[in-house]
Amino acid sequence: MCGIVAYIGPKDIPSVILVGLERLSYRGYDSSGISVMSNNDITTWKKSGKLFNLSNVFKTLNVNAQLGIGHTRWATHGVPNEINAHPHLCPNKKVSIVHNGIIENYASLKKDLQNKGHIFRSETDSEVIAHLIDHYFVDSLEDAVRRACKDLEGSYGLVAISEQDPNKIVAIRNGSPLIVGLGKQDNYLASDINAIINHTKDIMFLEDDECVILTENTVTVTDLSGNTLNKETQHIAWSPEDAEKGGYEHFMLKEIYEQPTVIRSILSKHINDNKINFKHLNLDKRSLSKIGRFIIQACGTSWHAGLIAKYWIEKFARIPTEVDISSEFRYRHLLSSGNEAVIGISQSGETADTLACIREAKSKFFKVFSFVNVKNSSIDRESDGVIYTHSGPEIGVASTKNYLAQLLNIYLFSLYFGFSKKTVSDSELAGRLDELSQLPDLIEKCLQLNDQLKVIAKKYASSRDFIFIGRGVNYPTALEGALKLKEISYIHSTGYPAGELKHGPIALIDANMPIVCLCPQSDTYDKMISNIQEVKARDGKLIIIASEGDDSFNDMSEDIIYIPKCSQDLTPMLSVIPLQLLSYHISIELGCNVDQPRNLAKSVTVE
Ligand code: M6R
């Protein structure tokens, strides 16, 4: 959470930082601030609320500065007001810092510093960093930063500037992402590539315990003792346009509409000559045959993808699979018989709960494979093998295109395993790949449902609650539909396996309750129909997702959404699309902030 941008060079400092912060505001958006160094003097502006409150300040200012640091916040310690916003300064204003992460021992450090006469202004954990750097400053900022970090416990990506060493920016990373962008006569730092991709595509990814010192013309990376390290620079393929709205009103809508393209590109990357391949899985046939159980762990939407993975892996590869929510996984008593592999699923590759599980699993000598979208993210780097989900940058806080990309990659992974274990025959593989080649067109057809969903959204936007039901492979879709709706519209919504309704939740149903029923053709279709009848008998308002040509629901509801016919295994990749559109349009009806819903952040880097 929280976004950091820093720049040293001849361009207009506030503009570079503000544009970068705007692009990072999916990481946190409750307050923001900037410090610049002009004539060896630090000036700081901070505002609570959305970034435009800060941008407005600079409309009438002409700031002539040599370098600057900026921050957009997702509050952990202290309410989101101006005082708690970053940058934080030490009392005599000689040091200014921005921080992403949590300092766990801040209370004891603060007490020690207060005893030494330091006066604190904010309620944050981060302010202690500025005071510590000031405390350790002798003659070089990097030495002071490295010394200060030795006292810190917790996670941080932090950037510091000092009036006493005014021509450099120093940053250090431990657990929270930080990247360096190398320009021609300037240099950049940011929490993620999107923030600076319009300036440079030459990127250095900092590892934990690495410190970087930027001047206008140099980038030096050291370890915590100050020894210089040789770091590789990587050229990034994403284009600046990938991080723009491209004519759509919201990133979420753009990302929903990008899904056919994303699916086409994944198919072309992983299927060659009717064979599935994964370049970065690092798993030979012998090790593959030894895996006797998968343990999947993920959060939020990625967890829903994990629930569907269980269904596909057990069906195609016949390997028992458990699925955990990452924040629970670490605290259970995991039993091992030595043949397990852990799978992490994460769009950002930085989700702290998921990362912590990967570290835990590796410490217990489990093999770890991950499905990750962001290359070079922590989860990418720390896993034994990865499958990149290849959805391109996803900016909307509500995950859409990456969920679909996760599903397709997981589906291919299940078939790949099944084929290697011979639980999937040549002809079955060929048939399934043939069906997959139609998938982008089927998704295009689902997108044509947009107008119908707009109308349904209008009709139900004033509902206080929603229930989503599904069975089998579409039960996780019900959970995903409910999560999408609640996170961007703030309507209370919940997903259930349809057969579970009668064990309690059915008591909630009355004439005011919309129930979204996922009922495409499947093995559990008849059972689903009975569950829908039970809801109908209690006056629930039915919104039904069914397969094209199915007229069984005509006298049950006016709101029937037809998705194209396909095998039941592909239905989750189609049925989720109307749910994405439904939640999008309800959010618009209610005037909510679709891309930046309250209290949330795209990348959750705290546990
Ligand atoms: O980056 P990750 O996939 O690890 O993120 C996991 C969740 O935080 C994420 O899916 C979250 O639930 C989204 N807001 C859902 O739309």
Side-chain angles (χ1 to χ4, degrees), residues 369-443:
F369 303 101
S370 295
F371 290 82
V372 171
N373 190 36
V374 179
K375 284 191 182 170
N376 276 299
S377 55
S378 304
I379 294 177
D380 174 9
R381 284 182 281 114
E382 296 191 28
S383 302
D384 296 305
V386 281
I387 293 179
Y388 295 115
T389 47
H390 291 300
S391 64
E394 191 179 64
I395 313 281
V397 164
S399 183
T400 52
K401 64 172 178 174
N402 187 67
Y403 176 65
L404 205 64
Q406 286 173 338
L407 292 186
L408 176 56
N409 279 289
I410 290 167
Y411 185 74
L412 290 171
F413 173 82
S414 316
L415 290 175
Y416 169 83
F417 250 81
F419 186 68
S420 307
K421 286 189 63 203
K422 302 203 183 325
T423 46
V424 168
S425 66
D426 286 357
S427 62
E428 175 163 18
L429 182 69
R432 299 231 169 234
L433 294 185
D434 185 48
E435 188 186 20
L436 276 180
S437 67
Q438 315 295 318
L439 187 60
D441 294 343
L442 302 183
I443 294 169

Side-chain angles (χ1 to χ4, degrees), residues 299-302 345-349 351 354 397-399 406 483-484 487 602 604:
C299 307
T301 286
S302 296
I345 308 177
S346 175
Q347 186 285 127
S348 60
T351 298
T354 309
V397 164
S399 183
Q406 286 173 338
L483 175 62
K484 256 349 41 126
E487 71 180 328
K602 181 79 181 160
V604 185

Side-chain angles (χ1 to χ4, degrees), residues 96-229:
S96 176
I97 66 105
V98 289
H99 166 229
N100 171 26
I102 290 183
I103 304 304
E104 285 160 6
N105 60 338
Y106 83 99
S108 62
L109 292 171
K110 185 170 175 176
K111 210 166 170 194
D112 280 357
L113 287 157
Q114 281 170 327
N115 289 339
K116 290 182 177 117
H118 286 253
I119 295 163
F120 282 75
R121 297 191 67 225
S122 76
E123 306 158 87
T124 66
D125 54 333
S126 309
E127 189 183 350
V128 79
I129 302 170
H131 290 261
L132 264 185
I133 295 173
D134 183 52
H135 172 70
Y136 283 121
F137 198 99
V138 180
D139 53 11
S140 110
L141 178 58
E142 57 269 33
D143 285 345
V145 169
R146 287 188 293 244
R147 285 197 67 186
C149 284
K150 289 189 179 149
D151 291 355
L152 301 177
E153 285 165 21
S155 62
Y156 45 85
L158 77 90
V159 183
I161 55 175
S162 164
E163 289 179 4
Q164 292 167 295
D165 199 357
N167 295 313
K168 61 176 71 145
I169 300 175
V170 176
I172 202 156
R173 171 196 157 129
N174 178 34
S176 303
L178 264 187
I179 55 136
V180 181
L182 292 89
K184 290 217 166 66
Q185 285 197 314
D186 51 3
N187 288 305
Y188 305 78
L189 267 162
S191 303
D192 124 13
I193 303 166
N194 290 338
I196 55 172
I197 191 108
N198 48 332
H199 299 290
T200 177
K201 288 181 170 190
D202 294 322
I203 304 292
M204 221 179 239
F205 294 88
L206 285 192
E207 305 280 345
D208 282 353
D209 295 333
E210 287 182 349
C211 170
V212 62
I213 303 117
L214 301 188
T215 67
E216 252 189 40
N217 299 309
T218 60
V219 172
T220 313
V221 181
T222 76
D223 62 16
L224 288 186
S225 313
N227 302 309
T228 304
L229 304 172

